Amino acid sequence: MSDAGVVMGDGENEPAVSIVPGVSILGVLSNLNYEPWYALAEYVDNAVQSAAKSSAHLRAIEPDYGLSVDISYSEHRGGHISIVDNAGGIARSDFGRAFKAAEVPPDRTGLSEFGMGMKSASIWFAKNWRVVTTSVGDPNIYSVEFDMAAVLKDQMDRLEVTSTLGDVDSHFTRIELWNLNQYLRGRTLGKVREHLREIYRAFLRDGTLTLSVAGQNMEFVEPNVLRAPDYRTSGEEGLAGEVQEWQKAIDLHLDGRVRVTGWAAIRSEGRTSGNGLSLFRRRRVIIGTGDTPYRPVRIYGQGNSYRSQRLFGELEVQGLPVSHTKDGFQWQGLEEEFHERLREALDSEPLPLLKQAEHYRARQASRAELKRIRSATENTAEVAEQEIPSVIDEVAEDAAPRTSPSQTVARSETSPQDVSQTFTFAQDSRTWLVTITAGSRPGEKDWLVRHLGVQSGSGDVTAELLLNTGHPFLKQFALGSSDALEAVFRIAVALVVTESLQTTAGDGESAAKFMRQVNALLGSALSKRLRSDT
């Protein structure tokens, strides 16, 4: 670090202007728009780069060498973070560059390329920090301490280095941060773990890196890829085509200088989180981790589409620079072209991933869906049987008899794949027998098919309702979640019980008209999302 000054230039003795960063620039680094996981990733990047650079020396000492990085956190001393690695360490001859802001390393082909990582992350995190390090072949352990307030107050352009005698074969770097500006409390620590395990998944997979965060070893769990027939081969007879794995290779060239390679796939079972594309550079994820998935609208559509629940992939981007915080690409006007070309590749034959992700669930229920359907049916029947008797009299007060009861809507044909439950309850002197069924009726226009009957004399009520799981409304909004499906089922029971009360009170015509209007709305306008997913 040195002060900016004026030096003499060539030609006519005019002074040249120095552009060497002054100490004051360090004060700006605490205001960077970092996320904690990207700031911590700077230290991991340095360790990965150091281990790769010193690989031959490290393996000469330790034939089974493996890089290890341990990140720990505590609340004491105004918050304390330490990052310890067993990489090659910082050589004493490199201190001038390592502790000087914006001094780029001689080798910029790895993960450390801007000369800002350790400095910017440390100043962003804390008011005080210390680096303790030694490199292979050096018997000394060096320590450098940084006090932000003192550096700015005294415009210090030098840091004192202290040393102690160590082992000539030892190699490590320990960075300690205290008096924190940023904390890792509560959910933040969980998000740090989630993002870091995804950012370094390639290194964790092949054993290049062992990473621990606050006492927890990071492991990346691989999603299962869908193995299923093409949705277009499933006809009305229920016959399916050949089972295939829905994963394909991607290789795109953009503008003659950028190449994108990798793969994309469909999850075996949909989920609302953990999906999306992950964009890598030099095996490290830049975009698409944790709660910030990369889901371009041109590819995924708007909202919680089936594609957003199932489509995922890993793509290595070559030829594009990244931001100095390594949390985004500088697309240089190519992102829109990338989205369009990628969409074409994803949906090309013979494995049209987008079409399969969007339509497969709509045509064939998975085992998970059937389990959700069964659970929702059983739970709805149980809660209805237990709870309806306590409120039915109050509800019935608004439906005093005026004319004779009537029947509504014909029964639906049953199917061997239907899931049914029956429950009973009493109201006044009448017994109610209610059967609820979940089953797919692709040819049926209504989401809820029901049949009501009243026994002459006793007034006992029989109500049968079918929740049509093949209806667009349920496929779009309910089948992906047990809670959503059960909520729809409970609403269906409430509607049918209310309709039956109105029917037994002699107002069956109005009740039936109301239900027809609800079915019409849900079958058309309300089955669509706010914006098109295509």
Side-chain angles (χ1 to χ4, degrees):
M1 303 177 190
S2 62
D3 294 323
V6 177
V7 299
M8 299 303 294
D10 299 330
E12 300 186 9
N13 296 322
E14 287 293 328
V17 178
S18 172
I19 57 173
V20 176
V23 172
S24 297
I25 194 174
L26 299 177
V28 178
L29 298 180
S30 61
N31 298 315
L32 286 173
N33 189 26
Y34 261 133
E35 295 286 3
W37 41 92
Y38 285 121
L40 289 170
E42 297 286 7
Y43 305 109
V44 183
D45 284 352
N46 287 346
V48 171
Q49 180 75 8
S50 172
K53 177 183 176 182
S54 306
S55 177
H57 294 297
L58 296 173
R59 295 191 183 281
I61 299 170
E62 304 172 36
D64 297 326
Y65 172 80
L67 173 62
S68 173
V69 180
D70 179 80
I71 300 171
S72 64
Y73 172 74
S74 68
E75 296 286 346
H76 79 285
R77 297 172 72 182
H80 183 271
I81 298 173
S82 72
I83 306 98
V84 181
D85 70 62
N86 67 340
I90 305 173
R92 182 64 180 86
S93 58
D94 288 335
F95 276 26
R97 175 191 57 78
F99 292 95
K100 187 174 182 179
E103 187 77 9
V104 298
D107 180 5
R108 301 189 62 192
T109 61
L111 298 186
S112 300
E113 57 181 312
F114 297 110
M116 293 288 289
M118 180 181 70
K119 284 85 70 175
S120 60
S122 298
I123 293 172
W124 182 80
F125 260 125
K127 301 175 183 66
N128 298 84
W129 50 282
R130 176 188 302 116
V131 178
V132 181
T133 187
T134 185
S135 57
V136 175
D138 190 332
N140 296 309
I141 299 173
Y142 302 98
S143 179
V144 179
E145 190 164 320
F146 184 98
D147 183 327
M148 188 66 181
V151 167
L152 293 179
K153 179 175 181 285
D154 298 331
Q155 289 292 292
M156 296 168 55
D157 63 356
R158 297 178 185 278
L159 297 176
E160 295 297 326
V161 179
T162 61
S163 65
T164 58
L165 193 61
D167 185 342
V168 71
D169 287 334
S170 65
H171 50 90
F172 67 87
T173 298
R174 182 175 72 250
I175 300 170
E176 300 177 57
L177 315 166
W178 66 97
N179 287 335
L180 299 184
N181 304 312
Q182 313 293 335
Y183 296 87
L184 306 180
R185 292 170 177 158
R187 294 183 59 191
T188 300
L189 184 57
K191 292 173 71 173
V192 164
R193 287 176 171 140
E194 181 181 17
H195 283 272
L196 289 181
R197 71 165 57 96
E198 295 189 18
I199 289 173
Y200 295 101
R201 69 184 75 169
F203 301 93
L204 297 174
R205 278 178 184 141
D206 64 12
T208 303
L209 169 67
T210 299
L211 176 62
S212 175
V213 179
Q216 189 176 113
N217 285 333
M218 298 296 95
E219 296 179 357
F220 183 74
V221 178
E222 307 289 345
N224 293 322
V225 175
L226 176 67
R227 289 184 55 81
D230 190 315
Y231 79 96
R232 296 169 293 186
T233 65
S234 300
E236 294 182 358
E237 299 83 5
L239 300 177
E242 180 182 355
V243 171
Q244 51 192 325
E245 185 171 69
W246 288 86
Q247 179 171 332
K248 65 162 53 174
I250 302 295
D251 191 347
L252 305 175
H253 293 263
L254 308 175
D255 196 37
R257 55 192 171 87
V258 177
R259 187 179 184 187
V260 181
T261 58
W263 55 267
I266 301 175
R267 280 182 179 270
S268 60
E269 293 186 8
R271 51 182 292 182
T272 55
S273 62
N275 297 313
L277 302 172
S278 296
L279 304 189
F280 291 67
R281 182 172 182 263
R282 300 171 183 173
R283 301 182 69 220
R284 175 208 196 270
V285 176
I286 302 298
I287 303 176
T289 61
D291 56 356
T292 54
Y294 187 67
R295 297 177 185 166
V297 173
R298 185 74 186 97
I299 295 169
Y300 282 85
Q302 297 279 2
N304 188 27
S305 66
Y306 283 122
R307 273 170 277 168
S308 70
Q309 296 175 21
R310 302 192 90 155
L311 181 66
F312 70 110
E314 298 184 357
L315 302 173
E316 177 80 19
V317 180
Q318 302 171 355
L320 279 183
V322 296
S323 63
H324 82 276
T325 50
K326 298 178 209 167
D327 58 357
F329 284 96
Q330 296 178 12
W331 286 99
Q332 301 176 345
L334 294 175
E335 190 170 18
E336 186 174 341
E337 179 187 351
F338 168 58
H339 293 166
E340 187 60 37
R341 295 278 305 282
L342 181 58
R343 179 185 172 89
E344 293 173 1
L346 290 171
D347 228 16
S348 64
E349 299 292 349
L351 285 176
L353 296 184
L354 300 183
K355 293 185 181 72
Q356 180 75 0
E358 193 68 34
H359 297 290
Y360 175 74
R361 283 170 64 102
R363 296 298 182 93
Q364 293 184 210
S366 66
R367 286 193 297 270
E369 283 181 342
L370 291 174
K371 183 178 180 181
R372 286 193 285 267
I373 290 170
R374 187 175 301 279
S375 174
T377 305
E378 293 173 353
N379 290 346
T380 301
E382 182 179 354
V383 74
E385 186 168 32
Q386 290 179 1
E387 302 299 332
I388 285 182
S390 65
V391 299
I392 192 66
D393 287 334
E394 181 179 345
V395 175
E397 288 179 3
D398 295 329
R402 292 187 294 275
T403 59
S404 59
S406 62
Q407 277 194 331
T408 69
V409 186
R411 289 183 175 88
S412 172
E413 293 296 325
T414 59
S415 166
Q417 301 300 317
D418 291 347
V419 178
S420 296
Q421 289 287 313
T422 299
F423 62 92
T424 64
F425 61 90
Q427 188 256 332
D428 289 340
S429 59
R430 291 180 297 181
T431 299
W432 293 64
L433 178 66
V434 183
T435 300
I436 59 176
T437 301
S440 179
R441 302 290 191 275
E444 171 61 58
K445 64 182 178 62
D446 291 338
W447 73 288
L448 178 62
V449 182
R450 71 255 184 250
H451 171 83
L452 303 177
V454 180
Q455 293 282 343
S456 59
S458 66
D460 290 345
V461 179
T462 300
E464 300 174 7
L465 63 102
L466 168 74
L467 195 68
N468 179 11
T469 58
H471 190 273
F473 176 71
L474 271 78
K475 291 191 298 182
Q476 187 73 279
F477 297 106
L479 289 185
S481 164
S482 298
D483 287 344
L485 185 61
E486 187 170 332
V488 172
F489 228 143
R490 292 185 181 208
I491 291 171
V493 170
L495 286 171
V496 172
V497 170
T498 301
E499 182 188 15
S500 63
L501 286 171
Q502 295 297 318
T503 300
T504 56
D507 199 13
E509 183 176 347
S510 295
K513 181 179 180 181
F514 170 78
M515 292 297 289
R516 287 195 300 271
Q517 292 170 334
V518 170
N519 265 322
L521 286 169
L522 293 179
S524 55
L526 297 181
S527 288
K528 301 176 182 178
R529 294 190 178 275
L530 183 61
R531 297 179 179 86
S532 172
D533 288 332
T534 59

